[in-house]
Amino acid sequence: MGNRVLVTGGAGYIGSHTAVELINGGYEVIIVDNLSNSDRSSLEGIRKITGIEPTFIEADCCDREAMRRVFENYEFDSVIHFAAYKAVGESVAEPAKYYRNNLDSFLTVLELMKEFGRNNILFSSSATVYGDADTLPVTELTPRKPATSPYGNTKQMAEDILRDMVAANEGLKGIALRYFNPIGAHPSALIGELPRGVPNNLVPYITQTAAGVRECLSIFGDDYDTPDGSCLRDYIDVVDLARAHVVAIERMVEGKSRERYEIFNIGTGRPVSVFELVRGFEEANNLKLNYRVAPRRAGDVTAVWADTTLANDELGWRAERELRDTLRAAWAWEQSVRQ
Ligand code: UD1
């Protein structure tokens, strides 16, 4: 049972890439997903890439009875909890929806883990927990700032819930991975991000603009206090990010954790500006993008990037993919979706 992993939200963007890396690493994967922001086609993509179809249960993690049946029917020692809403703007408009879903689903999973004696939980956290940090790059010890959105608040609160649950339950081990900006797609172009409606995030907006679905990319602000005036972020390839989950699970399964609750930044450690990213996309894919400078977007921080020393030293993990290859994969995926 040590090599079986329950992946909630496993049909989604990061979940599907993680399922692939887990299967490639010899793990058996059980996916629970309510398909609220994902598509069954990602399961087919996982099968095509790995040759193995993961077990799939369509269920909502807030549905305690459905989840109880999953725990009753499947033996697994580890859970990766991706299932959550993630649109920052929507969370501001509909906070209750975000608090109820993101916290209830996590609490349900944690309570069932306790009841069924399942030991290892990996939580998808986010660099959003740092807010507008005073010092850069941020380490795991950089103080968290008050969240700027209900979405960000659910990430902070879920981290705290995990910390407290681990403290109170001897058998439980937890890891929170704080993702920086996940981008790109599997190099096979069989799985990738499937944003519904108008994308909020930069790279899907870029690829849809290149594909002619959007007319023009707006660059939100060129008057920030940065070298070229646009914001700085740490863009991490989704396959590199997925690999971090496999090593984090291994660490818990093999009893290598230093503390029963640990936090790791997962990024490249390299700040990249919006202009650099746009230029990088144009050069990597040999095309021209239609863009214009627009006013700043409310809630954006000027700069945030990771100090990844802890993940490098403790997990033995580091980002490997070149930004150029990531941006090629993002474009290849967009084109495959449009076919
Ligand atoms: C956002 C969320 C973060 C969440 C992440 C999910 C905030 C403050 N942060 O990160 O909590 O985990 O998405 O992926 O909301 N940009 C443009 N034009 C666009 C879109 C974005 O110029 O059309 C710029 C933004 O101003 C920003 C950068 O691109 O500087 C990255 O934006 P985005 O991809 O939305 O990610 P974050 O805002 O960093």
Side-chain angles (χ1 to χ4, degrees), residues 86 88 126-128 148-149 151-152 179-182 193 199-205 217-221 224 230-233 235 274 297 299-302 304:
K86 62 172 185 180
V88 175
S126 166
T128 196
T148 52
S149 72
Y151 160 78
Y179 315 152
F180 283 68
N181 287 58
E193 193 169 5
N200 295 306
N201 297 119
L202 179 60
V203 170
Y205 208 104
L217 168 77
S218 295
I219 295 185
F220 297 140
Y224 283 98
S230 66
C231 294
L232 299 173
R233 294 290 183 273
Y235 295 95
V274 179
R297 180 172 70 175
D300 277 344
V301 300
T302 303
V304 62

Side-chain angles (χ1 to χ4, degrees), residues 15 27 32 39 44 47 71 73 75 105 115 143 170 186 199 205 216 240 249 261 271 277 281 284 287 296 302 311:
Y27 287 88
V32 170
D39 195 274
E44 178 63 12
R47 190 189 60 74
F71 276 76
N73 292 340
E75 297 274 315
S105 62
E115 186 181 328
E170 279 280 308
H186 196 268
Y205 208 104
C216 182
D240 278 336
I249 286 292
Y261 172 52
L277 196 90
F281 182 82
L287 47 75
R296 293 181 177 195
T302 303

